[in-house]
Amino acid sequence: MPVAVGHRYHLGSMAPNLRPPKGTDDILAPDSRVWRRVLRTWDDWSERFGYDLVMTPIFEATDLFERGVGESTEVVRKQMYTFTDRGERSITLRPENTASVVRAYLNAGIQGEWKGAYSGPQFRYERPQGGRRRQFWQVGVEHLGTDRPGADAEVIELGYRFLVDLGVEGVSVQLNSLGDPEDRTAYVAELRSWLEARAADLSPDARETLKVNPMRVLDSKADAELISEAPAPSERLGQGASAAFDEVRTRLDAVGVPYETTPRLVRGLDYYTRTAFEYVGTSLDTAQTALGGGGRYDGLADQIGGRSVPGVGLAMGIDRIILSLGETDAEVALDAFVVATAGRDIDAAGLVSRLRSAGVRVDSIDTSRSLKAQFKAADRSGAATTLVVGDEWDGGAVRAKRMADGNETDVRIEEIATWLRS
Ligand code: AMP
């Protein structure tokens, strides 16, 4: 039985048959404390920006992702967890959440503007490494029913505020515009001939990608040097997309979100139009610097079989964000730990209950055990204060011990919650 609060009882995989599947993780304390903080921070910021919670199934009809993510994408071609269920339907574990949220919006018959935030696991069959998992967690938002550039800027700002609040170092936004569909058709034709003329210098992977989707070749890390010379989508914008791109930048400047215009940034999924962006931090190695990203996808709703509804959104990778935070032990799960002298068992239980009701994070172990054992557990818990239920209790007080320096004071029972907060 795992005992004692805050104890590290995972000592590494003991037996191969107890390991989670390849590319997935069990997340326990102390790591899970960071997860709690990150997910709470996300709830907080997405609420502050006016996004309601939206929850969609973890699996969907395969066809939704084929149409919504795009058949030429890496995700659909190689990474989906697809199976036939007992009713002979082709089902896929969601590899991302945007297509599902747009489907849910259409299915609910919502008209006009709508803002939803999600949080949950996604599944992609990838080659696992640090920050690249087969089950990973994304938080994100979708703002549907408007093509105002102000909505793009707001989405970008939300992600930025969230990362900065978490303490991610060196957060910056890379920003681009992929243009409207008609700009894109002309641009892709130009890019295809440019790349085909240089096919001999491309990596074998990029040559394959060129056949299905020339724009995605711009993503190829192996061909970075050649690609830096290629025509960029943002250099071929029509009037509408160009004005929108300018407005997004003006609005980001106005609210103080720093960004860098990145002419060859394209995103891995097929559905982006106009704005595309990524968040990068400085503390991850180069392979996985992208902590999140997103963009505008005015054609997506139509593509998955609904009506035409513009939208913009972002998705952040929580596994990667947590890796970039580095620290795990700094997180404290408890405000106080309660220990009791002999015979004070029930009094201690009463105190614990009362403090919890007052909003204090508090725990104890079996208070009939020796004080020594209880103090040891208190120490391990990381709680800043240990409350000792002893003789002072009869006079309406407990002794409070500050764990950092051993300083002790008596505090009136009815004042403890306030005292702990101060
Ligand atoms: P995407 O949905 O591909 O636009 O990715 C958005 C964000 O999700 C990325 O920037 C990553 O932070 C995260 N992400 C995507 N794929 C994975 C993965 N296999 N493992 C961990 N995080 C991922």
Side-chain angles (χ1 to χ4, degrees):
M1 187 193 72
V3 263
V5 195
H7 181 57
R8 279 178 183 265
Y9 43 80
H10 39 303
L11 305 169
S13 277
M14 305 306 282
N17 61 345
L18 296 179
R19 282 187 205 131
K22 186 170 175 183
T24 70
D25 306 284
D26 300 320
I27 299 162
L28 289 77
D31 297 352
S32 57
R33 291 181 192 154
V34 188
W35 278 79
R36 265 197 172 155
R37 176 168 74 85
V38 170
L39 294 176
R40 278 187 179 138
T41 305
W42 170 254
D43 280 343
D44 180 25
W45 279 104
S46 57
E47 267 190 308
R48 284 199 227 179
F49 273 68
Y51 286 86
D52 265 312
L53 181 65
V54 54
M55 293 187 279
T56 61
I58 273 178
F59 58 85
E60 297 268 5
T62 301
D63 164 63
L64 175 72
F65 301 117
E66 284 170 352
R67 284 181 292 145
V69 179
E71 302 214 55
S72 75
T73 61
E74 196 72 350
V75 169
V76 169
R77 284 191 300 144
K78 298 182 187 158
Q79 300 179 340
M80 296 211 297
Y81 278 91
T82 299
F83 60 96
T84 306
D85 75 3
R86 288 165 195 273
E88 300 298 316
R89 299 171 196 89
S90 178
I91 294 290
T92 295
L93 300 185
R94 64 183 184 201
E96 59 99 58
N97 225 322
T98 301
S100 301
V101 170
V102 173
R103 182 194 55 64
Y105 168 95
L106 292 168
N107 180 53
I110 301 165
Q111 300 290 331
E113 269 190 64
W114 176 93
K115 291 161 80 170
Y118 62 82
S119 173
Q122 316 293 336
F123 306 85
R124 294 182 197 173
Y125 193 83
E126 301 216 57
R127 204 153 52 80
Q129 46 188 296
R132 175 164 299 147
R133 316 301 295 152
R134 289 182 174 173
Q135 175 172 332
F136 57 100
W137 195 284
Q138 280 185 342
V139 299
V141 294
E142 314 298 346
H143 187 159
L144 302 175
T146 177
D147 60 5
R148 279 184 299 113
D152 307 35
E154 187 187 80
V155 165
I156 294 170
E157 182 188 357
L158 165 59
Y160 177 76
R161 302 273 175 242
F162 166 65
L163 291 172
V164 170
D165 190 12
L166 286 176
V168 177
E169 274 171 35
V171 183
S172 68
V173 179
Q174 300 189 335
L175 183 66
N176 198 16
S177 175
L178 305 178
D180 284 316
E182 51 290 4
D183 310 332
R184 194 142 150 187
T185 311
Y187 167 71
V188 169
E190 180 189 353
L191 179 66
R192 175 178 281 123
S193 12
W194 193 93
L195 290 168
E196 278 168 355
R198 291 157 184 83
D201 301 327
L202 287 173
S203 65
D205 273 353
R207 271 200 298 272
E208 279 304 301
T209 311
L210 174 55
K211 288 183 206 149
V212 276
N213 193 334
M215 224 153 126
R216 189 132 316 103
V217 176
L218 300 184
D219 252 351
S220 168
K221 301 266 187 307
D223 302 275
E225 211 181 305
L226 181 71
I227 285 161
S228 69
E229 312 277 309
S234 56
E235 296 160 357
R236 302 290 186 274
L237 301 182
Q239 230 178 8
S242 177
F245 194 27
D246 286 344
E247 188 179 337
V248 171
R249 288 183 285 193
T250 304
R251 285 177 175 276
L252 289 176
D253 291 335
V255 294
V257 173
Y259 59 85
E260 196 187 318
T261 305
T262 313
R264 286 170 194 83
L265 173 78
V266 290
R267 306 260 311 130
L269 315 180
D270 255 357
Y271 47 57
Y272 291 109
T273 53
R274 297 195 172 181
T275 309
F277 58 91
E278 250 169 29
Y279 301 93
V280 297
T282 47
S283 49
L284 283 178
D285 65 26
T286 48
Q288 276 115 36
T289 49
L291 301 171
R296 176 161 283 289
Y297 46 81
D298 293 346
L300 175 62
D302 201 27
Q303 215 168 298
I304 65 173
R307 42 206 164 83
S308 173
V309 179
V312 60
L314 69 77
M316 305 275 218
I318 298 302
D319 305 71
R320 233 173 254 189
I321 289 170
I322 284 176
L323 265 186
S324 84
L325 289 174
E327 34 85 39
T328 54
D329 285 345
E331 229 63 45
V332 170
L334 292 175
D335 303 310
F337 202 89
V338 168
V339 303
T341 56
R344 298 275 177 192
D345 233 10
I346 299 298
D347 296 337
L351 177 65
V352 168
S353 162
R354 180 181 183 137
L355 290 176
R356 285 176 177 161
S357 296
V360 178
R361 301 175 302 172
V362 59
D363 209 1
S364 59
I365 56 163
D366 177 358
T367 47
S368 66
R369 291 181 64 187
S370 73
L371 257 188
K372 192 174 164 208
Q374 294 183 63
F375 264 108
K376 210 166 146 188
D379 227 13
R380 269 202 312 240
S381 76
T385 306
T386 300
L387 301 169
V388 189
V389 179
D391 292 342
E392 299 80 8
W393 184 266
D394 298 327
V398 295
R399 176 143 297 185
K401 180 176 175 190
R402 202 159 62 194
M403 299 306 275
D405 56 10
N407 201 329
E408 293 187 13
T409 38
D410 286 355
V411 186
R412 311 262 338 137
I413 294 167
E414 61 279 7
E415 285 162 10
I416 300 172
T418 324
W419 184 85
L420 283 169
R421 259 177 231 121
S422 64

